[in-house]
Amino acid sequence: MTGPRYTPLTESLPATVPFVGPEAQERMMGRVFDARLGANENIFGPSPAAIAAMQAAAGEIWMYGDPESYDLRQALATDLGITPQNIVVGEGIDGLLGYLVRLLIGAGDAVVTSEGAYPTFNYHVAGFGGVLHQVPYQGDHEDPQALMVKAAEVGAKLVYLANPDNPMGTWHKGADIAAALDLLPDGCLLILDEAYVEFAPEGTAADIDINDPRVIRMRTFSKAYGMAGARVGYALGAAELITAFNKIRNHFGMNRAAQAGALAALQDQAYLAATCAKVAAARDEIARIAVENGLSALPSATNFVAIDCGRDGAFAKAVLDGLVARGVFVRMPFVAPQNRCIRVSAGRPEDVAAFAAALPEALAEARG
Amino acid sequence: MTGPRYTPLTESLPATVPFVGPEAQERMMGRVFDARLGANENIFGPSPAAIAAMQAAAGEIWMYGDPESYDLRQALATDLGITPQNIVVGEGIDGLLGYLVRLLIGAGDAVVTSEGAYPTFNYHVAGFGGVLHQVPYQGDHEDPQALMVKAAEVGAKLVYLANPDNPMGTWHKGADIAAALDLLPDGCLLILDEAYVEFAPEGTAADIDINDPRVIRMRTFSKAYGMAGARVGYALGAAELITAFNKIRNHFGMNRAAQAGALAALQDQAYLAATCAKVAAARDEIARIAVENGLSALPSATNFVAIDCGRDGAFAKAVLDGLVARGVFVRMPFVAPQNRCIRVSAGRPEDVAAFAAALPEALAEARG
């Protein structure tokens, strides 16, 4: 009896996970976090209308979800002034990134991203045999020009750019992103990850023609809409590209209650605005706490704040460990010099208070 | 401006969907189905405890699901007398089949299934460039020996076998499946799709060592547990194979409420038993209606009944169209001679009554 024969690519891949979940950390620690501020979840949660829609749909969960996510795509199309043919709904941006990489990237194909940007994208690129080329951040911002120049240099088929950025929370004006497109080489697609765009200042979303074949945007109900656990993301782009997802996606992959919840969330824009205001206030409070402790906070257009701990990555990691040990779940950037920071998600007053209480002790311990 | 450069494989694939959803049919017809008996959904729905768990989790949907599905895997492991390392939880069997094909199948790799068996599996095989070899049903049963012999003949890396079978509802004794394994060639993995096994007679689940590297089983909360819209499936197999899913799966792909609902559903085995009894009664009633209309029903170990319409595929399709036009959603097998049948899911008395009312008219119309 012999085991299965994997593909050579499968054989070459490690069994890994882009992020260890907080539940796994809790199991290791033997205690539950007091404040869950590490995964940029939106603790303010979804609109009550969305919760009610999901609860109602629980009673109808014996039915598969609509494989076309028709109602949600119609509503998004109306909202955005585009057609449903420009929208594909999927299992979070993570799921959509996987499909997109699969559509375009085979063994040896070049892909460009920023060093320290979203690890799950890199995971998908590796998973399909792509070759990742990385450019450094520029002053804690992703560098659109450098990304495009690198893409031309290596003949990339895909470039990844998050605006606003994760993990730093920084952002570019949409007009600057649009202008940088002039540098994108022929036959290269820009993934513009706008997961956090609802939190950002007006003008952050680039004004790019939906039919422009050079760009696909990714958006989500996980962040501003407060539904990370529902797994509803969507991609916007030219109809030909969007249709290509139908060649490979898991057509019956969407949770039916999540579809209903996302639709209801979309229809409650007043709640969304109120959430964004709460998030802005929490960001301010987190920045105030940082300063109070002799640290500094980076300006943020997201629902998290990168706090500059003022020394190197080892020091920031010590601060992070101290916070985690005190029941406050946070994460931090992976590469220097961004890893001088810790990343703290906006939370309710009680969550932020738990962070405020733990930080001085964690800092004192790290300064040892 | 040029568009993106797809992989050659992507270019070669059609934009397709293994099944058109009933919602799409409803939109085309401009009316809602009175009875939804086409997708083998379990209309009796999940345990009230599962609904309550999903409703409670809706309020916590701001959190990502646990990427390890730890609690659910622990509970399944205890139930099955295996370890969590033998279990991977995924976005329905459809999602898990996609991951598994990706792990094993590259361009030109041979795969074996039955002609007329699960189209979504074939979709995944095509989507990764595999070459599908098909063997015919034998007396409306999948033919384990013929599948294994074909696998040896073509050097297959994967064989797909559903027990009980979909779309015919027939089944083999587990012992016969286990015995057929002797014919499986070295280095070939058998996918044993047991989506409907909870409905089947004792002894249908094959007694195969969980560490046997030749077999992976797929099970689901979509059928007997009544949670198709939640998207929770699981695969059981040797730890090495199960771990390989962690190389490529969407780690944060599970809906958090669905995880909670599946756990609660698993813990209510009394409800499961009651559901299976209701399904058995509905199967009997559907068979009785078939006979009353001069047709015959195939014995079924699932939650659906294949009704032999007594003529060819065109006739069965006319009967199906007549049912659909009368508000009764059903489907039918794709290939001859199985396509002499229509496939009717077990439902509540009112659903089955709607079928009973529509069938004589649909038959009369089809007979012209």
Side-chain angles (χ1 to χ4, degrees):
Chain A
M1 292 198 302
T2 60
R5 287 175 285 162
Y6 302 99
T7 65
L9 177 58
T10 299
E11 294 278 13
S12 75
L13 295 171
T16 185
V17 51
F19 295 101
V20 176
E23 290 83 3
Q25 291 182 252
E26 289 175 339
R27 288 188 289 268
M28 282 186 285
M29 296 190 303
R31 63 164 289 192
V32 171
F33 283 118
D34 299 320
R36 186 164 157 138
L37 301 173
N40 302 341
E41 294 159 327
N42 174 356
I43 309 184
F44 300 106
S47 157
I51 294 177
M54 287 184 278
Q55 289 176 334
E60 301 180 339
I61 206 75
W62 60 269
M63 288 184 272
Y64 286 105
D66 175 10
E68 299 177 17
S69 295
Y70 182 89
D71 295 336
L72 180 56
R73 284 166 61 234
Q74 286 286 336
L76 285 167
T78 301
D79 245 43
L80 297 164
I82 58 178
T83 77
Q85 288 70 42
N86 297 117
I87 307 171
V88 57
V89 170
E91 306 90 337
I93 289 180
D94 283 3
L96 290 166
L97 285 173
Y99 292 136
L100 181 64
V101 171
R102 180 174 161 195
L103 284 172
L104 271 66
I105 301 303
D109 284 338
V111 177
V112 173
T113 188
S114 301
E115 195 183 356
Y118 194 46
T120 304
F121 176 68
N122 303 356
Y123 169 81
H124 289 309
V125 171
F128 289 101
V131 176
L132 203 64
H133 300 267
Q134 304 186 67
V135 303
Y137 278 61
Q138 178 80 2
D140 294 324
H141 288 70
E142 291 195 61
D143 186 338
Q145 285 78 11
L147 286 164
M148 311 292 170
V149 167
K150 175 63 78 177
E153 179 190 321
V154 300
K157 294 172 87 174
L158 262 183
V159 177
Y160 176 89
L161 170 60
N163 190 46
D165 173 65
N166 176 21
M168 303 310 287
T170 52
W171 69 104
H172 292 282
K173 286 180 188 159
D176 294 342
I177 303 284
L181 277 180
D182 291 342
L183 300 170
L184 192 73
D186 261 9
C188 182
L189 182 72
L190 172 66
I191 305 174
L192 188 52
D193 183 342
E194 297 182 327
Y196 297 95
V197 78
E198 295 90 351
F199 298 117
E202 190 77 22
T204 303
D207 184 17
I208 297 168
D209 187 330
I210 188 68
N211 295 309
D212 190 323
R214 301 173 299 176
V215 182
I216 189 167
R217 288 163 192 243
M218 303 275 181
R219 294 191 180 175
T220 185
F221 286 87
S222 296
K223 302 302 179 187
Y225 289 100
M227 292 174 53
R231 308 286 61 221
V232 186
Y234 56 103
L236 308 173
E240 192 198 8
L241 174 57
I242 295 302
T243 302
F245 282 78
N246 289 332
K247 298 179 171 193
I248 58 159
R249 70 185 179 92
N250 184 3
H251 288 267
F252 286 84
M254 294 300 296
N255 179 291
R256 187 177 183 94
Q259 289 174 319
L263 181 59
L266 184 69
Q267 289 166 341
D268 191 351
Q269 290 292 312
Y271 185 88
L272 179 73
T275 294
C276 290
K278 287 180 195 170
V279 164
R283 280 192 317 231
D284 290 347
E285 176 63 5
I286 292 167
R288 192 194 62 73
I289 293 164
V291 170
E292 190 175 69
N293 284 272
L295 310 177
S296 63
L298 276 68
S300 169
T302 65
N303 73 325
F304 59 86
V305 178
I307 295 178
D308 186 340
C309 292
R311 301 194 196 173
D312 64 3
F315 180 74
K317 177 64 164 58
V319 175
L320 180 145
D321 287 342
L323 290 168
V324 166
R326 285 165 182 81
V328 178
F329 170 51
V330 299
R331 287 194 178 129
M332 63 182 288
F334 296 94
V335 298
Q338 282 71 45
N339 67 357
R340 72 191 190 283
C341 298
I342 57 171
R343 195 191 65 177
V344 183
S345 306
R348 298 161 299 191
E350 59 266 38
D351 304 305
V352 177
F355 169 68
L359 183 60
E361 295 175 29
L363 270 173
E365 204 170 76
R367 284 172 181 145
Chain B
M1 292 198 301
T2 59
R5 287 175 285 163
Y6 301 99
T7 65
L9 176 58
T10 299
E11 293 278 12
S12 75
L13 295 171
T16 185
V17 52
F19 295 101
V20 176
E23 290 82 3
Q25 291 182 253
E26 289 175 340
R27 287 189 290 269
M28 282 186 285
M29 296 191 302
R31 64 165 287 192
V32 172
F33 283 118
D34 299 320
R36 187 164 157 138
L37 301 173
N40 302 341
E41 295 159 327
N42 175 355
I43 310 184
F44 300 106
S47 157
I51 294 177
M54 287 185 277
Q55 289 176 334
E60 300 180 340
I61 206 75
W62 62 268
M63 288 185 272
Y64 286 105
D66 175 10
E68 300 178 17
S69 295
Y70 182 89
D71 296 337
L72 180 56
R73 284 166 61 234
Q74 286 286 337
L76 285 166
T78 301
D79 245 44
L80 297 164
I82 58 178
T83 78
Q85 288 70 41
N86 297 117
I87 307 171
V88 57
V89 170
E91 306 90 338
I93 288 180
D94 283 2
L96 291 166
L97 286 173
Y99 293 136
L100 180 63
V101 171
R102 181 174 162 197
L103 285 172
L104 270 66
I105 302 302
D109 284 339
V111 177
V112 173
T113 188
S114 302
E115 194 182 356
Y118 194 46
T120 303
F121 176 67
N122 303 356
Y123 169 82
H124 289 310
V125 171
F128 288 101
V131 175
L132 204 64
H133 300 268
Q134 305 187 67
V135 303
Y137 278 62
Q138 178 80 1
D140 295 322
H141 288 70
E142 292 196 61
D143 186 338
Q145 284 78 10
L147 288 163
M148 310 293 170
V149 167
K150 175 63 78 174
E153 179 190 322
V154 300
K157 293 172 89 173
L158 262 183
V159 177
Y160 176 89
L161 169 61
N163 190 45
D165 173 64
N166 176 20
M168 302 310 288
T170 53
W171 69 103
H172 292 282
K173 285 181 189 159
D176 294 342
I177 303 283
L181 276 179
D182 290 343
L183 300 171
L184 192 73
D186 261 10
C188 182
L189 182 72
L190 172 67
I191 305 173
L192 189 53
D193 183 341
E194 297 183 327
Y196 297 95
V197 77
E198 295 90 351
F199 297 117
E202 190 75 23
T204 304
D207 185 17
I208 297 169
D209 188 330
I210 188 67
N211 295 310
D212 190 324
R214 301 173 299 176
V215 182
I216 188 167
R217 288 162 192 244
M218 302 276 180
R219 295 191 180 175
T220 185
F221 286 87
S222 296
K223 303 302 178 187
Y225 290 100
M227 293 175 53
R231 308 285 61 220
V232 186
Y234 56 104
L236 309 173
E240 191 197 8
L241 174 57
I242 295 302
T243 302
F245 282 78
N246 288 332
K247 298 179 170 194
I248 58 159
R249 72 185 179 92
N250 184 3
H251 288 268
F252 287 84
M254 292 300 297
N255 179 291
R256 187 178 184 93
Q259 290 174 320
L263 181 59
L266 185 69
Q267 289 166 343
D268 191 351
Q269 290 293 312
Y271 184 88
L272 179 73
T275 294
C276 290
K278 286 181 195 170
V279 164
R283 280 192 317 232
D284 289 348
E285 176 63 6
I286 292 168
R288 193 194 61 73
I289 293 163
V291 171
E292 191 175 69
N293 284 273
L295 311 177
S296 63
L298 276 67
S300 168
T302 65
N303 73 325
F304 58 86
V305 178
I307 295 179
D308 185 341
C309 293
R311 301 195 196 174
D312 63 3
F315 180 74
K317 178 65 165 55
V319 176
L320 181 146
D321 288 343
L323 290 168
V324 166
R326 285 167 181 80
V328 178
F329 170 51
V330 298
R331 286 193 179 130
M332 63 183 288
F334 295 95
V335 297
Q338 281 71 45
N339 67 357
R340 71 189 190 284
C341 299
I342 58 171
R343 195 191 65 177
V344 183
S345 306
R348 298 161 300 191
E350 59 266 37
D351 304 305
V352 177
F355 169 68
L359 183 60
E361 294 175 31
L363 270 174
E365 204 170 75
R367 285 173 181 145

